[in-house]
Amino acid sequence: MSETILILGASGQIGNELTQELRSIYGNSSVIASDIKEGNEEMMSSGPFEIIDATDKETILKMVKKYKVSQVYLLAAMLSATAEKFPQKAWDLNMNSLLGVLELAKDKHIKQVYWPSSIAVFGPTTPKENTPQKTIIEPSTVYGISKLSGEFWCNYYHEKYGVDVRSLRYPGVISWKVKPGGGTTDYAVDIYFKAVEEGNYECFVSKETRLPMMYMNDAVAATIKLMQAKPEDVKIRTSYNLAAMDFTPEEMAVEIRKHIPDFKVSYKPDFRQKIADSWPSSIDDSEARKDWNWQHKFNLSSMTSDILKNIKN
């Protein structure tokens, strides 16, 4: 494994765990983490770290040359709930960072780009259940609009310039290591911490809101598997649907009560309910499973057990 990898947005929820997994595969010194602020102690002590604004193309190029980078994972983004409060900032960050990195790849400074999309590309007119890979895509949020645009920029740079850019449409990603950062599916992380620390939780979406979700371990595994796939096996250059499980907050609460019997949940939907209602309840990711043999490992039960065990420790 002779890749040298630069991760932009490494301090975020996915970036943190992806960085550590890539370091374990490629070697600590071969994975350069970066963000606009320093990462946690594990990230800072386990390998190189640089302060980089993901929209600063010149600094990114300088680091690419300094470390002889071959792959860039561009994870920096403003997520759905936060982006609704700062639409212009979200668009600028989410779009300009991607276009800058795609240009560097077009000019042959880097060989491979990873950029995450999201189920936010779907909208109220999208088929809700078992949402297919190719379907109606009419997002109703700033985050979704930026991700939809990004998908087609990725495809454009691949078709026109031969850029090897790869992408996944993440569902809600659940982790216990890093607190969430302004997404609509944050309740599915918060609920575990509140269950352990306080024994009750007020959920900001309704009890019957069903959304596609994935444990962080599976999200990281899928990302690396896609990046390691042979170019000819990556047949979709917009973004692959990705799925593992789907559930409601009430189903989560039932699962948590198997471990914490007195756990109570109340419901007070806020502006994020409308965002959640615009998204699918389940995703068809058969293209990813067929093209590069994607398989998830965790379901609601095994994920809940693993998270509660780790939080309690």
Side-chain angles (χ1 to χ4, degrees):
M1 299 284 188
S2 59
E3 302 291 348
T4 303
I5 296 166
L6 173 63
I7 302 176
L8 299 165
S11 297
Q13 188 195 19
I14 293 172
N16 187 65
E17 297 193 41
L18 182 61
T19 298
Q20 298 310 325
E21 187 61 25
L22 287 169
R23 282 178 173 169
S24 75
I25 295 168
Y26 294 96
N28 288 351
S29 62
S30 296
V31 180
I32 298 90
S34 76
D35 211 307
I36 53 170
K37 60 183 188 299
E38 287 195 348
N40 61 22
E41 190 181 341
E42 183 183 26
M43 183 180 295
M44 301 303 291
S45 62
S46 62
F49 187 93
E50 299 280 354
I51 299 286
I52 302 177
D53 177 344
T55 62
D56 184 351
K57 184 181 159 194
E58 295 312 311
T59 299
I60 295 170
L61 177 57
K62 195 157 65 176
M63 293 304 160
V64 164
K65 290 178 174 176
K66 175 181 174 181
Y67 291 101
K68 297 183 173 57
V69 168
S70 56
Q71 293 183 354
V72 171
Y73 286 66
L74 171 54
L75 306 178
M78 192 178 289
L79 301 183
S80 57
T82 310
E84 288 304 291
K85 297 174 183 174
F86 308 103
Q88 193 68 52
K89 280 185 180 176
W91 177 259
D92 290 346
L93 169 59
N94 297 0
M95 282 293 90
N96 292 340
S97 58
L98 174 61
L99 289 169
V101 169
L102 289 174
E103 278 291 302
L104 294 177
K106 182 193 86 170
D107 295 339
K108 304 290 187 273
H109 295 295
I110 42 185
K111 286 193 308 185
Q112 213 177 354
V113 176
Y114 177 77
W115 176 82
S117 188
S118 162
I119 58 167
V121 297
F122 303 120
T125 54
T126 303
K128 280 276 191 202
E129 293 179 19
N130 224 23
T131 302
Q133 175 68 45
K134 291 190 174 175
T135 185
I136 299 164
I137 300 183
E138 295 181 336
S140 57
T141 64
V142 176
Y143 182 61
I145 293 165
S146 70
K147 287 299 183 186
L148 174 60
S149 304
E151 284 191 15
F152 285 92
W153 275 119
C154 288
N155 192 65
Y156 180 83
Y157 271 77
H158 175 72
E159 295 289 334
K160 184 151 181 132
Y161 307 116
V163 170
D164 186 358
V165 56
R166 306 177 183 201
S167 178
L168 296 169
R169 288 174 183 154
Y170 290 127
V173 178
I174 302 171
S175 165
W176 56 270
K177 285 189 180 178
V178 175
K179 293 285 179 83
T184 300
T185 55
D186 284 0
Y187 69 86
V189 179
D190 284 340
I191 194 169
Y192 289 110
F193 285 95
K194 291 292 196 303
V196 171
E197 293 163 6
E198 299 172 23
N200 61 79
Y201 178 60
E202 184 177 88
C203 186
F204 56 73
V205 296
S206 68
K207 64 165 66 177
E208 65 273 0
T209 302
R210 179 172 299 279
L211 288 172
M213 299 282 189
M214 174 172 286
Y215 195 26
M216 179 65 77
N217 303 43
D218 279 334
V220 167
T223 304
I224 295 170
K225 190 171 181 66
L226 175 63
M227 284 295 276
Q228 291 179 343
K230 296 174 186 169
E232 60 268 25
D233 290 339
V234 183
K235 297 181 169 59
I236 293 168
R237 296 291 182 155
T238 47
S239 191
Y240 276 97
N241 275 6
L242 192 69
M245 52 183 141
D246 55 83
F247 49 76
T248 65
E250 189 62 22
E251 287 167 357
M252 290 191 87
V254 167
E255 201 59 48
I256 291 170
R257 284 188 199 109
K258 293 177 183 176
H259 305 266
I260 305 171
D262 295 333
F263 178 53
K264 292 180 174 61
V265 182
S266 58
Y267 297 91
K268 191 178 179 183
D270 65 14
F271 74 99
R272 289 168 283 194
Q273 182 68 53
K274 190 176 178 186
I275 300 175
D277 288 343
S278 74
W279 292 349
S281 55
S282 58
I283 298 286
D284 174 5
D285 66 350
S286 52
E287 298 287 333
R289 293 176 189 269
K290 173 170 60 76
D291 289 357
W292 41 276
N293 198 29
W294 157 241
Q295 294 168 15
H296 71 281
K297 289 183 179 173
F298 286 86
N299 59 23
L300 178 56
S301 174
S302 57
M303 176 182 73
T304 299
S305 297
D306 197 60
I307 290 175
L308 291 176
K309 179 184 72 181
N310 280 291
I311 291 176
K312 286 174 179 176
N313 290 344

